Structure formats: C-alpha cells, structure tokens
Amino acid sequence: MNGGCIDAGEAGGIQEALDALPEHGGTVHLPAGTWELDRTLEIALQEGQHLFLVGDGRASVLVNNNRSGEPLLSIAGAIGQWWPDLKITVRDLTFVGNHQSGDALVVDHPNDTLVDACFFIGHGGTAVNFVGKGTNATVRDCWMRDCRRALAAENLHHLTMHGNQTRRLNEGQQQAEHVYIDRNCREVRIVGNHLAYGDAEGIILDGTAQHVISGNTIEGFTDGVSAIGCRDMVINANYFHGGTAVRLAGACHGFTITGNTMINTVDGALRIDDASGSGGHVINGNVIRKSVYADIVEDKRQGGIDLGDARDCVVTGNVLEDVTAEAAIQSLHGGGHVISGNRIVRCSGEPVRLLCDTWCAVADNLTDRADNPL
C-alpha cells in the first residue's frame, strides 16, 4: 500500500488487493499488464467503505477465462439501502471475456456508482449489469463491443449513460438488445451515445417510465428504441438509421418524440403496435427520408408514421420524403388525433390515411399530390 493506494501487483493479485481494502475504503490500482482470471473477482462493501478501482489508461487488461457463464467482476454495495454513504468508481480498465463467459461487471445495489473510460469486449453476458436496487449511477465514455448486451439495469433510479460506443463484430456472437431498462427504473438519461449494428433492438424500455433518450446515434438494429407498456418518455434529437426507429407496443402513454432524424427506416419511422387504446403522444419536427446513399442500398423501402389503434396523438411539423408504405401517416381504428402542418413529398402511397373510430383533425398538411390535398 502506497499512500492509501493498494497495488494489486504488490498485494499478490487483484482479489488479494480487494480483500485488503480497509473499512473506510480506498483505491485499488491495477498496473498495466494482462491479468488472467479463472474465477470471479468479488468484493462486498459496507457503509462508508468507498472503492476506487483504477487501471493504467485501459492498458490494464482483465481476462475472464471462465467458460461456464460466471462474471468477471462482482461488486456488492450496501445491500438493502437506498442512500448509503458509499461511492463506487471503476475506471480505465479493459474487460475481456469469451462467448461462454458471463457478465463483465455486475454491481448489486449500485448507489453513487461511476463506470468510466473502460473497454469491454467479447463477453457472453452483459458488459455492465446493475442489479438489486440503487440510485445515482453513471456509465460514461466506455467501449462495449461483441458483448451479449452492453448495459442492463433493474430498479435503478437516476441512471445516466453518456458518451458510450456499442457495436457487434463481424463473425462475433449473436447479440441481444444493447441496452435493457426494466420496469422499476426511473429518471434514466441515455444521452450522446453511439449504438451500432446489433442483431436485435438498440434499446428496450420494458414497462418503465420517465426517461430521456436524446442526442444518440442509433443505427443498424431491428428497432432503434422498443418501448413496451411505458409512459412519459422523451425521445429527442436522435439519429436513427435502419429497421424501425421507434416502436411502441402495449399501453404506452405520453411519449414526446421530437426533432429526430430517421433515415432508411425500412420497417417504419414510428410504429405503434397493439396500443389497446393508449396514446397521448406528441410527434413533432422529425425528418423521415431516404439516405443520401439510397441508390446503393439494396432495400429501397422507407417507412412512415403508423399510429395503429392509438388515441389522442398530435402529429405536426414533420417532414416525410420518399415513403414507400401504403400511407406516409396512418391511423387504423384509433382516433382523437391532430394531423397538421406536415410536409409529405414523393411518397408512393397516400400522404395520410385515417380510419378513425372517432373524430380526427386533419389540416394544413402540404403534399405534392394534387389529387390528395390535405
């Protein structure tokens, strides 16, 4: 130990260094080099026992050689507490797994937890998995490649995911969604990330509420954002490319979907499936169009806005170009919508198709179809 810092090399190994953490906590330093591990590193922290686990600019490489689904590093905070005096920081480390290993980093009760500038690759589980319950967690500026999932959170309030890059690898493993947020999470901010080229969804919001997804690049997924039975969400200023940009399913209420760019969304820019009478969404100021490289894209489709049987939506001020769906904006069996001030051009189907079961207001939409002024 040097000035309160425990050197894992001097301590005889990483687990030995974690075991040596004093009651008040401190720093565990992993010097540059490759650390081969056959079993999970574990530490259970107590109230007031802070942990700063740090490497040398990600030159410190932890390799999980386990092939039976075990995690690489497991950290437990103060179990059963919401607001303990306990801070956890993991910084500047590389976590290397294999397709039969488990999660890279599991944090149980992640109160006041920061995962910063780490590199995760090849894990058969989740790169960063927050479990139990917790508050105030941040994952920032990390790279997560060829992991089964990038981030998952359960019962976590005030999570920020910022500046991260996720991606599958060619000839890598089959991935699940890159980000999973469960129904008990609140006030999550997914801001300024680049989520790229997964095999399933970019983000799944599973029965949850009150999150902001803003300023991200989300490309190459079946669904960019998939929300199932959620409410009170802001999806703003993101760049979506491919698949379906935003898909809502089940009883979703009160989404604000504004200012997004939705490019080559062949299966739909916005789709609402099985709404069951829910709705109350604002869809405003989005740009929906083919890519500038559309001539070299094999799939020539471009989806539009499909409200399904949702109710009471406001669709205004959007630009839709070259939509190949049967209608650029449509509503089937719902009602109570305001469809106004949209610009709809070069679409192969109808500009607007409404089969509402109650009143809808349609006015002042500008199209290039003389046979269908709206």
Side-chain angles (χ1 to χ4, degrees), residues 45-169:
L45 301 168
Q46 306 300 316
E47 173 87 17
Q49 190 179 27
H50 310 291
L51 172 64
F52 180 30
L53 180 64
V54 61
D56 285 333
R58 286 185 290 185
S60 303
V61 182
L62 287 71
V63 180
N64 190 356
N65 290 323
N66 179 278
R67 294 184 178 273
S68 58
E70 298 299 320
L72 198 164
L73 173 61
S74 177
I75 300 172
I79 303 299
Q81 298 188 47
W82 270 111
W83 297 98
D85 178 19
L86 173 60
K87 296 177 178 62
I88 301 168
T89 301
V90 179
R91 175 175 290 157
D92 286 329
L93 293 169
T94 293
F95 295 81
V96 177
N98 60 77
H99 296 172
Q100 288 74 50
S101 65
D103 299 336
L105 172 61
V106 182
V107 185
D108 190 353
H109 281 66
N111 294 286
D112 293 325
T113 295
L114 171 63
V115 181
D116 182 28
C118 292
F119 183 85
F120 302 86
I121 187 166
H123 298 275
T126 301
V128 179
N129 194 0
F130 292 128
V131 301
K133 65 179 182 180
T135 58
N136 296 343
T138 297
V139 180
R140 71 183 185 192
D141 297 333
C142 294
W143 293 358
M144 299 149 167
R145 295 181 179 173
D146 193 35
C147 299
R148 178 73 173 166
R149 290 181 178 85
L151 181 143
E154 63 180 44
N155 202 9
L156 181 55
H157 292 209
H158 303 172
L159 164 66
T160 297
M161 184 181 183
H162 177 266
N164 302 284
Q165 296 188 42
T166 76
R167 192 180 180 95
R168 66 168 168 81
L169 292 182

Side-chain angles (χ1 to χ4, degrees), residues 228-240:
I228 307 159
C230 299
R231 63 183 303 131
D232 306 330
M233 301 285 182
V234 174
I235 301 175
N236 167 255
N238 302 284
Y239 170 86
F240 293 99

Side-chain angles (χ1 to χ4, degrees), residues 110-359:
N111 294 286
D112 293 325
T113 295
L114 171 63
V115 181
D116 182 28
C118 292
F119 183 85
F120 302 86
I121 187 166
H123 298 275
T126 301
V128 179
N129 194 0
F130 292 128
V131 301
K133 65 179 182 180
T135 58
N136 296 343
T138 297
V139 180
R140 71 183 185 192
D141 297 333
C142 294
W143 293 358
M144 299 149 167
R145 295 181 179 173
D146 193 35
C147 299
R148 178 73 173 166
R149 290 181 178 85
L151 181 143
E154 63 180 44
N155 202 9
L156 181 55
H157 292 209
H158 303 172
L159 164 66
T160 297
M161 184 181 183
H162 177 266
N164 302 284
Q165 296 188 42
T166 76
R167 192 180 180 95
R168 66 168 168 81
L169 292 182
N170 292 337
E171 301 181 1
Q173 67 180 316
Q174 185 77 23
Q175 291 184 315
E177 72 283 349
H178 280 198
V179 177
Y180 177 85
I181 306 297
D182 98 325
R183 65 177 298 104
N184 295 309
C185 294
R186 296 291 183 272
E187 285 86 37
V188 171
R189 294 163 303 281
I190 301 174
V191 179
N193 304 282
H194 190 167
L195 313 182
Y197 298 105
D199 298 307
E201 299 87 355
I203 300 170
I204 289 182
L205 307 173
D206 192 357
T208 185
Q210 300 165 208
H211 308 319
V212 174
I213 299 172
S214 181
N216 303 283
T217 294
I218 303 174
E219 57 176 333
F221 296 94
T222 57
D223 298 336
V225 176
S226 177
I228 307 159
C230 299
R231 63 183 303 131
D232 306 330
M233 301 285 182
V234 174
I235 301 175
N236 167 255
N238 302 284
Y239 170 86
F240 293 99
H241 190 172
T244 299
V246 179
R247 185 189 302 270
L248 311 184
C252 289
H253 298 271
F255 276 62
T256 300
I257 302 171
T258 61
N260 301 285
T261 298
M262 299 166 170
I263 300 295
N264 287 358
T265 48
V266 297
D267 296 316
L270 169 66
R271 292 183 57 89
I272 301 179
D273 298 331
D274 303 319
S276 304
S278 60
H281 311 304
V282 173
I283 303 153
N284 171 257
N286 302 286
V287 174
I288 300 165
R289 65 190 307 271
K290 297 295 292 182
S291 167
V292 66
Y293 306 112
D295 288 343
I296 63 173
V297 176
E298 291 184 6
D299 195 332
K300 303 296 184 182
R301 293 176 295 158
Q302 172 62 49
I305 297 172
D306 187 345
L307 302 177
D309 60 354
R311 308 190 68 83
D312 306 325
C313 298
V314 175
V315 182
T316 60
N318 302 283
V319 174
L320 299 94
E321 298 179 356
D322 302 307
V323 173
T324 59
E326 292 182 356
I329 300 173
Q330 72 173 1
S331 171
L332 303 177
H333 312 300
H337 305 308
V338 176
I339 314 291
S340 178
N342 301 286
R343 176 65 167 130
I344 306 168
V345 297
R346 298 189 306 277
C347 297
S348 58
E350 299 177 55
V352 177
R353 176 191 292 174
L354 301 180
L355 300 176
C356 298
D357 57 17
T358 184
W359 63 269

